[in-house]
Amino acid sequence: MAIHFGTDGWRAVISDEFTFANVRKVSQAIADALLVGAAARQSATEPPLCVVGFDTRFLSDRYAMEVARVLAANGIRVLLTKADSPTPMVSYAVVANRAAGGVMITASHNAPRYNGIKLKAAYGGSAPASQCRQVEQLIIENERAGREPKTMDFETAQAQGLITRFNPFPSYRKHLQTLVDFPALQRSGLRVVVDPMYGSGRVYLAQLLREAGVEVTEIRGEMNPGFNGIHPEPIARYLGLLMAEVTARDCDLGLATDGDADRIGAVSPSGRFIDPHHILALALRYLVEVRGWHGTVVKTVSTTQLLNRLAAKYRLPLYETPVGFNYIGELMARDNVLIGGEESGGISIQGHIPEGDGVLMAMLLTEIVAHYGRSLDALVAELQAELGPFVYARRDVRVPHFSKSELVARLTARPPTTLAGLTLARLGTEDGVKYLFADDSWLLIRPSGTEPVLRVYAEAHTPQTVEALLDAGLALAGAGEGQRA
């Protein structure tokens, strides 16, 4: 079976396609790509350095060691984390250590049966599509030529200085102290519940908040490679325990991160889920109005129009990208981006690496609540009163394999002039098909980049209109209700 990199790396079912043999094949191709890059930089005086990290999933630590063995066998120096670590922490270590790239063993928010490999560029964000395609092509070339992956005994590689175990937390902590107002948190007296969802944000976020003087209760922070049977995705469906804990403990805030802690979700004191759309909008308002920051706003096609209205208010340029933080990261790496984010909770800000960071955004959201001295419920209500009410929902339907290009061609051939009583203003095909209506409501139909799932997204001014748009989207796609993912 061919190995393909999707929206953010390669993911597959453990012991099915995600095997040690395939991990070695991918690692060899990554090594080949790093060596080609090193050769192109003729000024390089020593072998390239690669940072390797892993999350809490089944066998992730062992897969990471296997990656390190292959890289070392190819003469590449490896910094391998001592313990499970968040993806953004590993990505920051790439920059802090001036490495040529990084490899993260994780399937992020996917179900426990999956694992995966995220490839990181030297600038600390997801590798661009061109680099992923290069790795895919090198896998094919190696297989055709009958070249087996090189491997090296792990202890021997350590003894020779090719593999070094390290702790990425101290430098990451120091960096976050330049982005978050720790003294403001110390004065706040806030009480917070942290839910890492058994992922690699465990311990780290709670420790950072405690160091900042916040009273913290951590739940689901123990090692559980099966995530206790849940998807480690910080959305309302999986955060019932966090909602209950926040209200039962009478806390000010609930914070959740996904399997590799590059995404954020939040819960207000009333037990209400606060989605990343509102977190993004609150962060943008705070960074402009309180900190006085300026720059470009970047969002994916599936992210709220609240950002469009705020960007227009502040006269900031706004760009819309396909789904996947890698597209946002590419812009952040070359432009003065104030904030970039996506509806799934991957968000980053100016001065940070071009990588979604649930830990950083959890800290910043806590700072925002501390600064205003009002609850998240009140802050969201203020935002809605100022910019207009926006309601968002998404449906995921399992579907057989189909052609994305054929779906787009069919949906754009004869687009409807109205849907759910709304007048169509514009049609977008940046990623799937997006119907934007005259009142800023929208409907997006697109296949997932990591799973056999069709995603239908909608945002409108009432819950009823959102549901009507979702129904219309499924009907347009020919999916009906299908099988909910």
Side-chain angles (χ1 to χ4, degrees), residues 12 75 108 139 185 213 250 257 273 286 315-316 329 348 390 413 452 461 477:
S108 191
I139 293 170
L185 296 182
D250 193 27
T257 53
F273 174 66
Y286 179 76
R315 298 184 179 180
L316 299 175
S348 188
F390 278 91
H461 302 297

Side-chain angles (χ1 to χ4, degrees), residues 293-311:
W293 289 12
H294 297 281
T296 302
V297 178
V298 185
K299 67 167 198 168
T300 58
V301 294
S302 58
T303 305
T304 182
Q305 290 292 111
L306 287 167
L307 295 182
N308 298 63
R309 293 192 173 185
L310 281 172

Side-chain angles (χ1 to χ4, degrees), residues 418-419 422-425 435-443 469:
T418 62
L419 276 176
L422 302 175
T423 303
L424 183 66
Y435 305 84
L436 186 66
F437 304 100
D439 68 344
D440 271 351
S441 298
W442 54 270
L443 167 71
L469 285 172

